[in-house]
Amino acid sequence: MHHFGSYEDRVKSFDWKISEKELEYQPGNVINIGWYCTDRICEMGKANKTALLWEGQGVPDRKYTYNDIRLASNTIGAYLRSLGIGAGDRVCLFMDKIPELYLGFLGVVKIGAIAQPLFSAFGDESLFIRLDDARTKAIITQRKHALKVRKILAQMPYLEHVIIVDHDGKKELKEREKPFSLDNATPVEHLEIHPTTAESPSVLHYTSGTTGKPKGVQHVHYSLISQYLTAKWVLDLRDDDIYWCTADPGWVTGTSYGIIAPFALGVTQCVQDVGFSAENWYRFIEKNKVTVWYSAPTAIRSLMKAGDEIVKKFTLTSLRHLASVGEPLNAEAVHWSNRVFGLPFHDTYWQTETGSIMITNFPGMKVKAGSMGRAFPGIESCVLDLKTYEPITEPGRIGLIAFKPGWPAMMRTYWNNPETYKNKFKNGWYLPGDRSSIDKEGYFWFAGRDDDIINTAGHLVSPFEVESALLEHQAVAESAVVAKPDEVNMEVVKAFVTLKRGFDAGPDLELDIMNFIRKRLSPLAMPQEIEYVASLPKTRSGKIMRRLLRAKEWGEEIGDTSTLEND
Ligand code: PRX
C-alpha cells in the first residue's frame, strides 16, 4: 500500500485546507505563485538545490539552483517593471522551451502581471488573434519568432514592447524591439513581490473554441492550492525526485505541472528542448535519472511504434511513477508500459479551464487500463443526461462530464467573454464539454468530446479557426474542417474544400493550401488531407454539417440527419 493511504480515506477527510496549511497560506493573505516557486523554497533552506536541468539542441546543458531561478525571475521582473509594466498587464511568453520561458513566466507573475504563454510554433495569424484579444502590452520572444511579430506589429498599437532574449548585437532592432539578456543583466537580489491575493489574475491561456475565436482562460494565484496538492498526490512528487514533464508551457500542462507545481514543491525538474525521438527521450531519462515522468498518449504511442528493442539499450530503472494527460490513454499503451518499464501509465483528465487534475488514477489505486480513473478528492463530479442535464445514476451510461464549481484552480472567466463562460454551466454544474460513463466503482470511461473540436496529438484545434484561415486562400470558396482518425496522433485535421472558379484541384494546390495554413496558424492546424468537393452538406438554414462529414471519416452510422440539422 502506498504511504499516503487509500483513496477512500483521502476522500473522506478531504479539505483544500490541507494544501493551504502545507503552503502556510491564510485566507486573505498575499499569495504569489512566483514567490512560492522560488523565494519560499530558498527560505526553506533549499537555495542550493537544483531546480532546473536543461538540455537544448547543439548548446551546452544548463543547470539552475533554486537561488538561480529566484535571482533570474527577480531580474526579469525588475526589467519589466522598468519598462512600465505592472499588475494586470498582459505579458506574452512566445519562446521555445528555453530557460527564459520558465524564468520569464516566474518574473511576470512576481510583479503581478498576467502571463500569457503561447505555443512558439504558432504562425502570425494564430499569434495575432490571441494578442489582439488580450491587448497584450509586451511580448518576450526569441529572434527567430520575432519575425512573426514584425509581420503583425502595425496592427497592434497596444503592444508596446517586443523583448528579444537572444538578440544578436550585429543585427538591427526594429520598432519597439528591445534586447534583454539574462546572462548580461546584473542579477537583482531583492525584488518587491507584488502583493497579489487569491483572486489576482495570474495566467491567461488561450484554448480553441468550436464556433468562435479562441478563448482566453483566466486563472488566479489561488490556483496554486490545487496545483500543489494534485502534483503531490497524483504525480506523487517527493523531495528527492527528478521530475520530467514533457509538455510545452505554451499549453496548460506545461505551466500547471511544468512550472508552478514542481517548483512550489521544491523538486528538481528537467526540460528537454530538442526534437522528439525515442532515442532522445530514453537517453534523457537515463542521463538525468528521471524518477517521475508526466507525458501524453501520442508520445507514448510513438514510443510504442519505435519498438521494445530500443528500450533495452538504455537504463531506465530510475523511473518510479508514470502519468499521462491530454487524450484518451488506450489500454494497450498501459499494458505496453507495464511490459517495458514495469510500470503502468496513470491517466489524468483535466483541461485548460479546470487548471488542475480532476479525474485520475492515484498511485496505489487499482489502475483499470482504458479508464481515466476517479475524481480527485474534493471534486464533486458526475455525468449528466445528454438531453435533460440531470445526473445519471446507473453505471455505464454515457453522459456529459460535470463538476461542481469551487475547486481552487478553476478558471475565473474567459477573457472579455463572460457570455461564453456562463454557457459552460448547466443546473449548477460546470461542463468541460466531454462525454464519459462511470462504472460501479466510480471509474470514468472517456467517450469523446461533445463538440467539433479536434484533439490532435493532445492539442485542441478549432475547426472554425482553420476554416476561417482557409477562406483567406485565394483558391478556396468554402470549407469544412473535421477530425480524421490517425494511428499515432489519434486525430488529425482534414479539410473539405470547394474551389473558386478558375482554380484546378491538384497536388500543387493541395500542398500550397497546406503550407498556407501551417504558416498562418501552426503545424498542428495544418490539414493532413484536403478533399475537393463540388458542394458541402448544409442544413436548411445554410450551416455546414461538419458532423456528417466527420461521421463518414470515422465510418460511423449517420442515422437520422434531421437531428444533425438541428445543431
Ligand atoms: O477532451 C478532453 C481532452 O483534452 C481536453 C482538454 O484539452 P486542453 O484544455 O488543451 O488541456 C489539455 C491538458 C490538460 C479535454 O476537454 N483530454 C484531456 N485529458 C484527457 C482527455 N481526453 C481523454 N482522456 C484524458 N485523460
Side-chain angles (χ1 to χ4, degrees):
M1 180 42 75
H2 190 260
H3 72 279
F4 280 130
S6 76
Y7 173 79
E8 285 75 15
D9 286 347
R10 287 206 223 174
V11 170
K12 238 186 286 156
S13 56
F14 189 81
D15 195 317
W16 288 111
K17 289 215 164 60
I18 298 171
S19 184
E20 291 184 354
K21 236 191 224 143
E22 289 192 19
L23 289 164
E24 296 164 288
Y25 166 76
Q26 300 273 345
N29 283 3
V30 169
I31 176 169
N32 184 291
I33 286 172
W35 180 82
Y36 268 100
C37 289
T38 60
D39 302 71
R40 178 171 184 261
I41 306 300
C42 293
E43 285 177 18
M44 290 167 85
K46 297 204 267 185
N48 294 322
K49 181 174 177 177
T50 303
L52 179 64
L53 291 161
W54 181 84
E55 177 187 290
Q57 187 81 54
V59 289
D61 289 355
R62 290 201 155 204
K63 184 175 155 177
Y64 298 82
T65 63
Y66 271 95
N67 193 50
D68 292 335
I69 70 167
R70 180 184 71 82
L71 286 174
S73 54
N74 278 356
T75 309
I76 294 176
Y79 172 69
L80 294 172
R81 244 187 211 149
S82 77
L83 296 176
I85 295 162
D89 289 334
R90 277 76 64 208
V91 179
C92 175
L93 300 143
F94 190 53
M95 287 169 268
D96 298 346
K97 287 193 276 181
I98 57 173
E100 284 85 347
L101 171 57
Y102 298 77
L103 304 167
F105 178 94
L106 296 170
V108 170
V109 295
K110 273 187 170 181
I111 61 162
I114 305 175
Q116 181 191 10
L118 290 177
F119 186 42
S120 64
F122 274 155
D124 53 313
E125 184 152 327
S126 289
L127 183 64
F128 173 71
I129 291 168
R130 289 157 178 82
L131 296 178
D132 196 50
D133 188 64
R135 297 281 137 149
T136 309
K137 191 164 175 179
I139 184 169
I140 309 179
T141 190
Q142 291 163 269
R143 244 183 307 165
K144 62 177 178 185
H145 300 306
L147 297 174
K148 296 186 262 187
V149 184
R150 277 184 196 171
K151 262 195 186 163
I152 51 177
L153 194 68
Q155 300 166 64
M156 302 187 293
Y158 41 83
L159 186 76
E160 294 176 22
H161 313 283
V162 179
I163 299 157
I164 301 173
V165 298
D166 60 350
H167 176 61
D168 173 350
K170 286 185 237 100
K171 295 261 164 61
E172 192 194 339
L173 286 164
K174 291 273 158 64
E175 190 198 340
R176 294 179 242 173
E177 289 178 355
K178 303 176 171 87
F180 174 79
S181 152
L182 259 181
D183 295 334
N184 300 338
T186 313
V188 173
E189 183 61 43
H190 298 289
L191 175 81
E192 201 185 308
I193 307 277
H194 189 80
T196 44
T197 52
E199 295 305 305
S200 305
S202 54
V203 183
L204 188 62
H205 262 302
Y206 274 79
T207 187
S208 297
T210 355
T211 52
K213 284 196 303 186
K215 299 167 289 187
V217 177
Q218 196 202 301
H219 288 291
V220 294
H221 282 265
Y222 192 60
S223 71
L224 173 67
I225 302 298
S226 293
Q227 290 151 347
Y228 170 90
L229 199 67
T230 48
K232 185 164 176 181
W233 286 9
V234 180
L235 303 179
D236 197 23
L237 290 179
R238 306 174 198 172
D239 200 37
D240 56 354
D241 272 316
I242 308 285
Y243 168 64
W244 185 27
C245 169
T246 61
D248 186 306
W251 312 101
V252 73
T253 308
T255 54
S256 290
Y257 297 102
I259 302 179
I260 302 172
F263 287 149
L265 278 153
V267 305
T268 299
Q269 69 162 327
C270 43
V271 167
Q272 191 188 38
D273 186 29
V274 306
F276 174 83
S277 79
E279 250 120 3
N280 277 345
W281 276 32
Y282 295 143
R283 183 186 43 72
F284 191 67
I285 293 171
E286 181 182 75
K287 170 171 127 183
N288 292 303
K289 301 195 174 56
V290 172
T291 56
V292 178
W293 182 22
Y294 195 22
S295 197
T298 290
I300 300 164
R301 286 190 291 267
S302 305
L303 294 176
M304 285 168 77
K305 230 177 149 187
D308 296 7
E309 281 311 304
I310 175 171
V311 183
K312 293 183 193 136
K313 289 199 218 152
F314 300 88
T315 308
L316 306 177
T317 45
S318 57
L319 289 173
R320 164 175 88 66
H321 185 58
L322 319 181
S324 161
V325 64
E327 321 154 59
L329 178 67
N330 29 331
E332 301 82 68
V334 179
H335 299 315
W336 175 79
S337 83
N338 255 325
R339 198 175 70 242
V340 300
F341 306 123
L343 300 164
F345 269 99
H346 292 73
D347 199 6
T348 68
Y349 166 92
W350 57 293
Q351 58 174 191
T352 310
E353 287 88 338
T354 69
S356 62
I357 294 167
M358 302 298 282
I359 298 172
T360 178
N361 292 286
F362 263 53
M365 189 172 119
K366 180 172 72 181
V367 174
K368 294 190 189 181
S371 158
M372 305 194 290
R374 295 193 272 191
F376 187 80
I379 302 292
E380 197 185 329
S381 63
C382 69
V383 290
L384 301 181
D385 184 274
L386 298 173
K387 290 210 175 74
T388 64
Y389 298 112
E390 289 301 323
I392 293 173
T393 46
E394 74 220 71
R397 187 147 75 82
I398 290 172
L400 295 166
I401 298 180
F403 300 116
K404 262 282 144 67
W407 66 96
M410 167 75 178
M411 70 164 158
R412 293 307 193 259
T413 188
Y414 287 124
W415 190 259
N416 258 336
N417 201 345
E419 209 45 44
T420 308
Y421 176 73
K422 242 177 36 212
N423 291 338
K424 295 289 286 189
F425 298 86
K426 284 272 162 17
N427 296 340
W429 293 95
Y430 169 73
L431 304 183
D434 290 305
R435 296 180 180 187
S436 176
S437 63
I438 306 177
D439 70 16
K440 281 205 279 297
E441 290 174 301
Y443 282 71
F444 284 74
W445 297 79
F446 188 75
R449 285 195 62 94
D450 192 50
D451 57 25
D452 292 337
I453 289 181
I454 300 162
N455 187 334
T456 180
H459 301 294
L460 303 186
V461 171
S462 157
F464 173 83
E465 225 179 325
V466 183
E467 287 164 4
S468 306
L470 280 167
L471 292 184
E472 287 169 31
H473 189 280
Q474 51 168 0
V476 176
E478 280 185 314
S479 71
V481 166
V482 298
K484 142 186 162 161
D486 183 82
E487 208 191 316
V488 171
N489 299 301
M490 191 178 80
E491 297 184 349
V492 290
V493 175
K494 170 165 180 180
F496 292 86
V497 160
T498 67
L499 292 178
K500 285 189 189 151
R501 219 178 281 181
F503 287 93
D504 283 335
D508 286 351
L509 182 62
E510 189 178 10
L511 218 59
D512 190 64
I513 296 175
M514 285 177 173
N515 272 322
F516 182 80
I517 299 298
R518 184 177 55 81
K519 281 211 192 110
R520 294 205 160 200
L521 298 183
S522 75
L524 298 168
M526 183 183 85
Q528 301 290 319
E529 186 188 338
I530 293 175
E531 187 173 328
Y532 301 109
V533 288
S535 66
L536 293 167
K538 290 193 188 125
T539 62
R540 266 173 242 117
S541 61
K543 240 179 102 184
I544 293 168
M545 292 157 77
R546 279 197 204 113
R547 283 173 59 190
L548 195 82
L549 296 167
R550 187 196 142 94
K552 275 194 200 146
E553 292 303 313
W554 293 75
E556 289 164 2
E557 286 288 323
I558 295 158
D560 182 3
T561 55
S562 63
T563 59
L564 288 171
E565 289 204 18
N566 290 336
D567 280 345

